[in-house]
DNA sequence: GCCGTTTTCGGCCCGACTGTTTTCAGTCG
């Protein structure tokens, strides 16, 4: 019997956590910085790998992952096969996890942790707090009374630290801050950068980048905004504050006309920037946010004379200086975009304007807020040619799922609405901004994949919908094979067109369903069943990694709002940005097609699978 | 620890701010 059978499969996230821990522990030990960086880099790459590494390693394969060499590869192998890593266990014995925790205190780095441990015997956050309160830190060379206060502030901030923001909250805050700074004298422009501009799933700090002729005035206004709780630092070119019950916000000021390299630098990601700087260096230039400087034989800039600095007003020009095509912010994670840019093979990313409709929204007939007509009118006002109404099916009682009788009633209401739209269009009375193809509300449902594995409506009823999205809300804790089989049942139904929020996750809430993902992708591709990228900012499901993997397997995707009220059609923006992070192009997306093409696609799919 | 159409060894991105310094190391982004 194979000894591996009883060892649970570690997810990529589990593996990444272990290698980040190793990096942290080596830092505290005072190991060579490049070695610790190597572990962190490898951990990030593992977290974003589209391949489930533990499964692959068990199958005797070692898929190439950037930043993973022989040593780390062997460690993954040991973890995949045994669930343990002797090297890790030895490190933990040497560097207690409570010591690594100290790195989270702002201003405390590996060097300080080591000194605190060796000289004061500090082993945990609580030890550190007591030492600081008792005034013992100042006895250590290099630390002072000021350090004691900043450590205590840091620990307090750690304890009240809000969780990372979701996109909608980040956008609201960015808009507010920019609005409050816009009238500052001398201000020419101010834009968000950082992870919000890259549209990461969650946002920690906010970054604002400003062009101004009066830096001092802007720093002054920024650091005295009403929402500011503490000023973390402020200089002539940058300032950082923490907002009251809010995140840290960094403001950077750039000389007018030089935004290109500044935007690149402060948009990141860090790995993307490091890659660009390597390319610049190979070509004899040092790249920083300020611009490019010539470097000499010794690798040092020939001059720090600002007049010699090569600057560019736009990002596109700065990229072009390195013979690179412009790289969209959502791609800047060093996941192959720099190479694709160099070879002219960047994808043409899908845009919000490419969407002709939305396949997933609710009304007050199930768990939505607004009436059917209100939802339809709002979708029409967005210029869409169709909106699929997908109220929940009968077994999802908590969401007031529709019985077959109510489905029939709803069908009649939708027909009346569409008759009104048709007559308005025929009379040339459609509102300005409506789709030139006209607008129709399509009748769909969000079909529950029940815990017993059966679908929630009979085939005869399912066949009468314009489009069906299926999803799984109950029985989430079943085994991987049970869950996978349930989703496969839906995928194989001729009447199911879309699998909605396939991973069933809530960001910062619940984990992904434990599915055999490669089997799901393969069967979705074979049957032509669409996998949704759900735009609700607490779902964003599929994730970018999964979507990229699904595309590679040949799947078609949809970008949907899952709106429960009219305002939530804005979720489509998040679905699109998540798709862009996954390198998705317009042809990869079902709802970039016209209404006629969509309906023809649904019909063809049912026919193909019924005949098969 | 990783990596190589300049290298299998010797590099590995860059600058601002802070605090404790008398010229710089640590931390951060």
């Amino acid at each position: 019997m194979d000894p591996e059978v009883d060892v649970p499969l570690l997810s990529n996230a589990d593996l990444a956590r272990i290698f980040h821990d190793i990096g942290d522990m080596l830092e505290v030990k005072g190991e060579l910085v490049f070695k610790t960086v190597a572990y962190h880099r490898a951990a990030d790459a593992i977290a974003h790998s589209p391949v489930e590494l533990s499964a692959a390693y068990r199958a005797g394969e070692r898929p190439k992952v950037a930043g993973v060499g022989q040593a780390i590869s062997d460690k993954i192998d040991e973890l995949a096969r045994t669930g343990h890593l002797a090297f890790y266990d030895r490190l933990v014995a040497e560097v207690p996890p409570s010591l690594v925790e100290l790195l989270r205190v702002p201003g405390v780095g590996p060097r300080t942790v080591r000194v605190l441990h060796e000289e004061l015997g500090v082993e945990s956050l609580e030890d550190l707090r007591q030492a600081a309160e008792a005034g013992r830190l100042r006895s250590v060379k290099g630390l002072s009374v000021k350090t004691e206060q900043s450590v205590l502030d840091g620990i307090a901030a750690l304890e009240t630290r809000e969780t990372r923001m979701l996109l909608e909250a980040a956008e609201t805050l960015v808009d507010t801050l920019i609005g409050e700074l816009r009238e500052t004298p001398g201000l020419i422009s101010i834009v968000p950068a950082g992870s919000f501009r890259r549209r990461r799933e969650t946002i920690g700090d906010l970054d604002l980048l400003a062009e101004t002729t009066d830096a001092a005035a802007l720093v002054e206004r920024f650091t005295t905004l009403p929402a500011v709780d503490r000023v973390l630092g402020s200089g002539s070119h940058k300032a950082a504050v923490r907002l009251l019950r809010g995140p840290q916000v960094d403001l950077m000021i750039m000389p007018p006309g030089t935004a290109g390299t500044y935007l690149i630098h402060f948009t990141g990601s860090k790995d993307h920037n490091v890659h660009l700087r390597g390319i610049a260096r190979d070509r004899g230039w040092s790249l920083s946010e300020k611009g490019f400087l010539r470097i000499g034989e010794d690798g040092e800039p020939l001059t720090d004379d600002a007049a010699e600095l090569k600057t560019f007003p736009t990002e596109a020009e700065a990229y072009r200086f390195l013979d690179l095509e412009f790289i969209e912010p959502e791609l800047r994670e060093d996941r192959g975009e720099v190479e694709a840019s160099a070879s002219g093979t960047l994808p043409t990313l899908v845009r919000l304007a490419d969407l002709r409709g939305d396949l997933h929204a609710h009304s007050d007939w199930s768990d939505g807020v607004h009436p059917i007509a209100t939802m339809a009118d709002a979708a029409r006002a967005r210029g869409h040619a169709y909106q699929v109404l997908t109220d929940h099916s009968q077994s999802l009682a908590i969401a007031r799922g529709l019985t077959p009788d109510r489905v029939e009633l709803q069908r009649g209401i939708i027909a009346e609405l569409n008759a009104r739209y048709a007559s308005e269009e025929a009379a040339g009375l459609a509102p300005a901004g409506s789709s030139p193809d006209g607008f129709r509300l399509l009748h769909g449902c969000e079909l529950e994949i029940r815990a017993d594995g059966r679908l929630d409506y009979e085939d005869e009823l399912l066949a009468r919908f314009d489009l069906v999205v299926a999803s799984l809300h109950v029985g989430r804790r079943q085994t991987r094979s049970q869950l996978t089989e349930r989703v496969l049942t839906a995928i194989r139904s001729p009447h199911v067109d879309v699998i909605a929020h396939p991973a069933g996750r809530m960001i910062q809430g619940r984990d992904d369903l434990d599915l055999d993902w490669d089997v799901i992708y393969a069967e979705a591709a074979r049957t032509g069943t669409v996998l949704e990228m759900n735009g609700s900012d607490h779902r964003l499901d599929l994730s970018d990694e999964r979507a990229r993997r699904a595309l590679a397997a040949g799947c078609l995707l949809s970008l949907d709002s899952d709106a429960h009220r009219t305002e939530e059609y804005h979720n489509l923006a998040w679905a699109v940005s998540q798709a862009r992070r996954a390198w998705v192009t317009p042809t990869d997306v079902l709802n970039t097609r016209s209404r006629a093409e969509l309906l023809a696609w649904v019909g063809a799919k049912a026919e193909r699978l019924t005949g098969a």
Side-chain angles (χ1 to χ4, degrees), chain A residues 19 38-39 42-43 46 57 67-77:
Chain A
F19 288 111
Y39 274 103
I46 289 166
Y57 271 67
V68 174
Q70 190 63 49
I72 294 180
S73 179
D74 287 345
K75 291 181 174 69
I76 297 174
D77 193 60

Side-chain angles (χ1 to χ4, degrees), chain A residues 281 284-285 294-302:
Chain A
R281 186 153 276 275
W285 296 88
R294 266 275 174 224
I295 52 176
E297 292 288 317
D298 60 354
E300 293 298 312
L302 293 176

Side-chain angles (χ1 to χ4, degrees), chain A residues 76-333:
Chain A
I76 297 174
D77 193 60
E78 186 181 338
L79 282 163
R81 291 183 187 281
T82 70
H84 293 280
L85 180 61
F87 175 72
Y88 177 84
D89 296 338
R90 281 202 306 276
L91 269 178
V92 169
E94 215 178 323
V95 184
S98 61
L99 200 54
V100 175
E101 282 275 289
L102 300 186
L103 288 175
R104 291 170 45 223
V105 180
V108 174
R111 156 103 197 165
T112 309
V113 170
R114 206 157 55 244
V115 173
L116 289 169
H117 183 53
E118 285 168 2
E119 300 200 13
L120 296 179
V122 167
E123 285 224 342
S124 67
L125 273 176
E126 191 46 42
D127 291 352
L128 179 58
R129 184 212 309 278
Q130 288 177 10
E133 281 173 350
R136 300 212 310 275
L137 264 45
R138 66 190 74 165
S139 69
V140 177
K141 184 169 163 17
L143 306 186
S144 70
V145 180
K146 244 178 175 170
T147 320
E148 282 164 358
Q149 193 50 51
S150 91
V151 160
L152 290 174
D153 289 347
I155 292 175
L158 211 55
E159 286 165 349
T160 61
R161 173 82 54 99
E162 302 284 323
T163 50
R164 293 173 63 87
M165 283 176 291
L166 301 183
L167 284 165
E168 190 85 25
E171 182 180 59
T172 302
L173 192 48
V174 162
D175 289 348
T176 302
L177 290 169
I178 288 179
E180 288 173 338
L181 294 172
R182 185 164 284 136
E183 301 305 320
T184 311
L187 186 70
I188 298 165
S189 71
I190 181 163
V191 293
S195 55
F196 176 67
R197 182 163 181 244
R198 302 200 310 280
R199 298 294 191 266
R200 273 195 54 178
E201 287 176 358
T202 61
I203 313 296
D205 301 343
L206 295 180
D207 299 279
L208 298 175
L209 206 45
E211 287 183 296
T212 177
T213 56
D214 188 349
L218 186 58
V219 167
E220 169 64 18
R221 176 161 309 191
F222 176 68
T223 52
T224 57
L225 286 173
V228 167
D229 180 30
R230 285 186 56 206
V231 178
L232 302 172
S234 100
S236 56
H237 295 91
K238 59 200 283 187
V241 300
R242 178 169 298 286
L243 300 183
L244 211 58
R245 289 191 299 281
Q248 178 175 333
V249 186
D250 293 342
L251 172 71
M252 263 73 57
I253 292 164
M254 50 192 173
T258 66
T261 47
Y262 277 90
L263 275 169
I264 290 174
H265 179 87
F266 288 107
T267 298
S269 65
K270 189 174 182 216
D271 289 339
H272 178 84
N273 289 348
V274 168
H275 199 150
L276 293 185
R277 291 196 186 123
I279 291 175
R281 186 153 276 275
D282 289 345
R283 292 161 166 254
W285 296 88
S286 166
L287 168 61
S288 78
E289 64 267 39
K290 295 174 171 174
F292 295 90
L293 276 177
R294 266 275 174 224
I295 52 176
E297 292 288 317
D298 60 354
E300 293 298 312
L302 293 176
T303 165
D304 58 359
D305 183 355
E308 298 295 316
L309 201 60
K310 218 162 177 45
T311 65
F312 301 95
T314 67
E315 288 182 311
E317 290 161 285
Y319 278 113
R320 197 175 311 131
F321 182 67
L322 295 175
D323 286 324
L324 295 173
E325 286 182 0
F326 175 77
I327 300 174
E328 298 284 357
E330 294 95 330
L331 295 182
R332 299 182 196 171
E333 301 289 349

Side-chain angles (χ1 to χ4, degrees), chain A residues 339-360:
Chain A
E339 293 84 348
S341 168
S343 62
T345 54
L346 281 171
T348 302
L349 298 180
V350 65
R351 297 162 304 152
L352 189 58
D354 293 324
L355 300 186
R356 310 287 285 276
D358 174 20
L359 307 184
H360 187 172

Side-chain angles (χ1 to χ4, degrees), chain A residues 17-28:
Chain A
R17 202 153 32 235
I18 289 168
F19 288 111
H20 275 306
D21 285 349
I22 292 176
D24 285 341
M25 289 187 282
L26 292 178
E27 272 180 40
V28 172

